[in-house]
Amino acid sequence: QVRLVESGGGLVQAGGSLRLSCAASGRTFSNYAVGWFRQPPGKEREFVAAIDGNGGSTYYGDSVKGRFTISRDNAKNTVYLQMNNLKPEDTAVYYCAADLNPVYDTDSYYAYWGQGTQATVLS
């Protein structure tokens, strides 16, 4: 059982940065892979980034490679998404999700989800 809470969203100009946090409950957090997904207005949810339980492997969607970085601090039960060089098309609700053994880029394989945090990028 994992409870996830996202934070760090907000309003930023194009070219700016945001750092999102995903805070998790539970003492077995290091066993869980964590993914970030986003849902832009009027569009379907899409994969952003994922990280395995120990932070040894990371994965990124094509649209964010080179701009976003996922990391985790298991001592703090927290996963981060550093978002740099933001574009208006990055505007979305960002969700973190966790599972013991997901398919990293597929939302239906994650059992636990946060409530989301809004990131808005102005042109």
PDB file of all heavy atoms in Angstrom, residues 3-22:
ATOM      1  N   ARG A   3       0.685   5.577  -0.643  1.00  0.00           N
ATOM      2  CA  ARG A   3      -0.050   6.807  -0.876  1.00  0.00           C
ATOM      3  C   ARG A   3       0.918   7.845  -1.434  1.00  0.00           C
ATOM      4  O   ARG A   3       1.995   8.048  -0.876  1.00  0.00           O
ATOM      5  CB  ARG A   3      -0.694   7.320   0.405  1.00  0.00           C
ATOM      6  CG  ARG A   3      -1.497   8.597   0.238  1.00  0.00           C
ATOM      7  CD  ARG A   3      -2.208   8.967   1.523  1.00  0.00           C
ATOM      8  NE  ARG A   3      -2.917  10.225   1.411  1.00  0.00           N
ATOM      9  CZ  ARG A   3      -2.408  11.412   1.712  1.00  0.00           C
ATOM     10  NH1 ARG A   3      -1.162  11.497   2.164  1.00  0.00           N
ATOM     11  NH2 ARG A   3      -3.126  12.508   1.581  1.00  0.00           N
ATOM     12  N   LEU A   4       0.536   8.496  -2.520  1.00  0.00           N
ATOM     13  CA  LEU A   4       1.397   9.425  -3.234  1.00  0.00           C
ATOM     14  C   LEU A   4       0.764  10.808  -3.266  1.00  0.00           C
ATOM     15  O   LEU A   4      -0.431  10.944  -3.531  1.00  0.00           O
ATOM     16  CB  LEU A   4       1.618   8.952  -4.672  1.00  0.00           C
ATOM     17  CG  LEU A   4       2.158   7.532  -4.853  1.00  0.00           C
ATOM     18  CD1 LEU A   4       2.134   7.148  -6.325  1.00  0.00           C
ATOM     19  CD2 LEU A   4       3.568   7.424  -4.294  1.00  0.00           C
ATOM     20  N   VAL A   5       1.579  11.836  -3.031  1.00  0.00           N
ATOM     21  CA  VAL A   5       1.119  13.219  -3.067  1.00  0.00           C
ATOM     22  C   VAL A   5       2.103  14.040  -3.878  1.00  0.00           C
ATOM     23  O   VAL A   5       3.279  14.160  -3.508  1.00  0.00           O
ATOM     24  CB  VAL A   5       0.974  13.811  -1.656  1.00  0.00           C
ATOM     25  CG1 VAL A   5       0.514  15.264  -1.745  1.00  0.00           C
ATOM     26  CG2 VAL A   5      -0.010  12.997  -0.829  1.00  0.00           C
ATOM     27  N   GLU A   6       1.630  14.639  -4.978  1.00  0.00           N
ATOM     28  CA  GLU A   6       2.463  15.492  -5.815  1.00  0.00           C
ATOM     29  C   GLU A   6       2.445  16.930  -5.309  1.00  0.00           C
ATOM     30  O   GLU A   6       1.449  17.388  -4.752  1.00  0.00           O
ATOM     31  CB  GLU A   6       1.975  15.485  -7.270  1.00  0.00           C
ATOM     32  CG  GLU A   6       1.951  14.118  -7.930  1.00  0.00           C
ATOM     33  CD  GLU A   6       0.594  13.450  -7.833  1.00  0.00           C
ATOM     34  OE1 GLU A   6      -0.190  13.779  -6.909  1.00  0.00           O
ATOM     35  OE2 GLU A   6       0.311  12.590  -8.690  1.00  0.00           O
ATOM     36  N   SER A   7       3.537  17.643  -5.562  1.00  0.00           N
ATOM     37  CA  SER A   7       3.607  19.066  -5.283  1.00  0.00           C
ATOM     38  C   SER A   7       4.621  19.703  -6.219  1.00  0.00           C
ATOM     39  O   SER A   7       5.362  19.011  -6.910  1.00  0.00           O
ATOM     40  CB  SER A   7       3.976  19.329  -3.821  1.00  0.00           C
ATOM     41  OG  SER A   7       5.262  18.822  -3.522  1.00  0.00           O
ATOM     42  N   GLY A   8       4.657  21.027  -6.245  1.00  0.00           N
ATOM     43  CA  GLY A   8       5.649  21.749  -7.014  1.00  0.00           C
ATOM     44  C   GLY A   8       5.165  22.335  -8.321  1.00  0.00           C
ATOM     45  O   GLY A   8       5.942  23.019  -9.006  1.00  0.00           O
ATOM     46  N   GLY A   9       3.929  22.092  -8.683  1.00  0.00           N
ATOM     47  CA  GLY A   9       3.401  22.695  -9.892  1.00  0.00           C
ATOM     48  C   GLY A   9       3.208  24.191  -9.723  1.00  0.00           C
ATOM     49  O   GLY A   9       3.320  24.742  -8.633  1.00  0.00           O
ATOM     50  N   GLY A  10       2.922  24.851 -10.825  1.00  0.00           N
ATOM     51  CA  GLY A  10       2.715  26.282 -10.784  1.00  0.00           C
ATOM     52  C   GLY A  10       2.708  26.879 -12.166  1.00  0.00           C
ATOM     53  O   GLY A  10       2.584  26.174 -13.175  1.00  0.00           O
ATOM     54  N   LEU A  11       2.851  28.195 -12.216  1.00  0.00           N
ATOM     55  CA  LEU A  11       2.819  28.975 -13.449  1.00  0.00           C
ATOM     56  C   LEU A  11       4.224  29.474 -13.755  1.00  0.00           C
ATOM     57  O   LEU A  11       4.887  30.054 -12.887  1.00  0.00           O
ATOM     58  CB  LEU A  11       1.862  30.148 -13.274  1.00  0.00           C
ATOM     59  CG  LEU A  11       1.513  30.995 -14.484  1.00  0.00           C
ATOM     60  CD1 LEU A  11       0.702  30.182 -15.482  1.00  0.00           C
ATOM     61  CD2 LEU A  11       0.732  32.215 -14.033  1.00  0.00           C
ATOM     62  N   VAL A  12       4.692  29.247 -14.979  1.00  0.00           N
ATOM     63  CA  VAL A  12       6.049  29.611 -15.345  1.00  0.00           C
ATOM     64  C   VAL A  12       6.081  30.071 -16.801  1.00  0.00           C
ATOM     65  O   VAL A  12       5.269  29.637 -17.621  1.00  0.00           O
ATOM     66  CB  VAL A  12       7.006  28.424 -15.113  1.00  0.00           C
ATOM     67  CG1 VAL A  12       6.681  27.266 -16.051  1.00  0.00           C
ATOM     68  CG2 VAL A  12       8.460  28.836 -15.242  1.00  0.00           C
ATOM     69  N   GLN A  13       7.013  30.965 -17.117  1.00  0.00           N
ATOM     70  CA  GLN A  13       7.204  31.409 -18.493  1.00  0.00           C
ATOM     71  C   GLN A  13       7.929  30.347 -19.313  1.00  0.00           C
ATOM     72  O   GLN A  13       8.696  29.541 -18.776  1.00  0.00           O
ATOM     73  CB  GLN A  13       8.011  32.705 -18.530  1.00  0.00           C
ATOM     74  CG  GLN A  13       7.350  33.891 -17.855  1.00  0.00           C
ATOM     75  CD  GLN A  13       6.211  34.460 -18.662  1.00  0.00           C
ATOM     76  OE1 GLN A  13       6.102  34.214 -19.863  1.00  0.00           O
ATOM     77  NE2 GLN A  13       5.363  35.232 -18.005  1.00  0.00           N
ATOM     78  N   ALA A  14       7.692  30.343 -20.615  1.00  0.00           N
ATOM     79  CA  ALA A  14       8.428  29.455 -21.500  1.00  0.00           C
ATOM     80  C   ALA A  14       9.932  29.644 -21.312  1.00  0.00           C
ATOM     81  O   ALA A  14      10.419  30.767 -21.190  1.00  0.00           O
ATOM     82  CB  ALA A  14       8.042  29.702 -22.948  1.00  0.00           C
ATOM     83  N   GLY A  15      10.652  28.527 -21.272  1.00  0.00           N
ATOM     84  CA  GLY A  15      12.075  28.547 -21.004  1.00  0.00           C
ATOM     85  C   GLY A  15      12.444  28.411 -19.546  1.00  0.00           C
ATOM     86  O   GLY A  15      13.621  28.206 -19.229  1.00  0.00           O
ATOM     87  N   GLY A  16      11.468  28.496 -18.663  1.00  0.00           N
ATOM     88  CA  GLY A  16      11.715  28.384 -17.244  1.00  0.00           C
ATOM     89  C   GLY A  16      11.732  26.949 -16.768  1.00  0.00           C
ATOM     90  O   GLY A  16      11.674  26.003 -17.556  1.00  0.00           O
ATOM     91  N   SER A  17      11.789  26.797 -15.449  1.00  0.00           N
ATOM     92  CA  SER A  17      11.927  25.483 -14.828  1.00  0.00           C
ATOM     93  C   SER A  17      10.957  25.311 -13.675  1.00  0.00           C
ATOM     94  O   SER A  17      10.551  26.279 -13.024  1.00  0.00           O
ATOM     95  CB  SER A  17      13.350  25.290 -14.294  1.00  0.00           C
ATOM     96  OG  SER A  17      14.312  25.330 -15.331  1.00  0.00           O
ATOM     97  N   LEU A  18      10.595  24.068 -13.434  1.00  0.00           N
ATOM     98  CA  LEU A  18       9.856  23.657 -12.255  1.00  0.00           C
ATOM     99  C   LEU A  18      10.439  22.353 -11.754  1.00  0.00           C
ATOM    100  O   LEU A  18      10.935  21.554 -12.546  1.00  0.00           O
ATOM    101  CB  LEU A  18       8.371  23.444 -12.559  1.00  0.00           C
ATOM    102  CG  LEU A  18       7.496  24.659 -12.831  1.00  0.00           C
ATOM    103  CD1 LEU A  18       6.129  24.205 -13.344  1.00  0.00           C
ATOM    104  CD2 LEU A  18       7.335  25.500 -11.574  1.00  0.00           C
ATOM    105  N   ARG A  19      10.361  22.131 -10.457  1.00  0.00           N
ATOM    106  CA  ARG A  19      10.711  20.845  -9.882  1.00  0.00           C
ATOM    107  C   ARG A  19       9.493  20.282  -9.171  1.00  0.00           C
ATOM    108  O   ARG A  19       9.021  20.858  -8.183  1.00  0.00           O
ATOM    109  CB  ARG A  19      11.878  20.937  -8.902  1.00  0.00           C
ATOM    110  CG  ARG A  19      12.376  19.549  -8.473  1.00  0.00           C
ATOM    111  CD  ARG A  19      13.479  19.591  -7.455  1.00  0.00           C
ATOM    112  NE  ARG A  19      12.997  19.985  -6.140  1.00  0.00           N
ATOM    113  CZ  ARG A  19      13.632  19.747  -4.996  1.00  0.00           C
ATOM    114  NH1 ARG A  19      14.800  19.118  -5.015  1.00  0.00           N
ATOM    115  NH2 ARG A  19      13.118  20.165  -3.855  1.00  0.00           N
ATOM    116  N   LEU A  20       9.001  19.159  -9.667  1.00  0.00           N
ATOM    117  CA  LEU A  20       7.887  18.476  -9.052  1.00  0.00           C
ATOM    118  C   LEU A  20       8.393  17.438  -8.057  1.00  0.00           C
ATOM    119  O   LEU A  20       9.436  16.821  -8.267  1.00  0.00           O
ATOM    120  CB  LEU A  20       7.026  17.781 -10.109  1.00  0.00           C
ATOM    121  CG  LEU A  20       6.531  18.642 -11.275  1.00  0.00           C
ATOM    122  CD1 LEU A  20       5.613  17.820 -12.167  1.00  0.00           C
ATOM    123  CD2 LEU A  20       5.842  19.901 -10.772  1.00  0.00           C
ATOM    124  N   SER A  21       7.636  17.245  -6.990  1.00  0.00           N
ATOM    125  CA  SER A  21       7.944  16.238  -5.989  1.00  0.00           C
ATOM    126  C   SER A  21       6.782  15.275  -5.855  1.00  0.00           C
ATOM    127  O   SER A  21       5.623  15.666  -5.980  1.00  0.00           O
ATOM    128  CB  SER A  21       8.223  16.880  -4.633  1.00  0.00           C
ATOM    129  OG  SER A  21       9.356  17.719  -4.680  1.00  0.00           O
ATOM    130  N   CYS A  22       7.106  14.031  -5.593  1.00  0.00           N
ATOM    131  CA  CYS A  22       6.124  12.989  -5.320  1.00  0.00           C
ATOM    132  C   CYS A  22       6.504  12.359  -4.000  1.00  0.00           C
ATOM    133  O   CYS A  22       7.491  11.614  -3.918  1.00  0.00           O
ATOM    134  CB  CYS A  22       6.119  11.965  -6.454  1.00  0.00           C
ATOM    135  SG  CYS A  22       5.038  10.547  -6.194  1.00  0.00           S
TER     136      CYS A  22
END
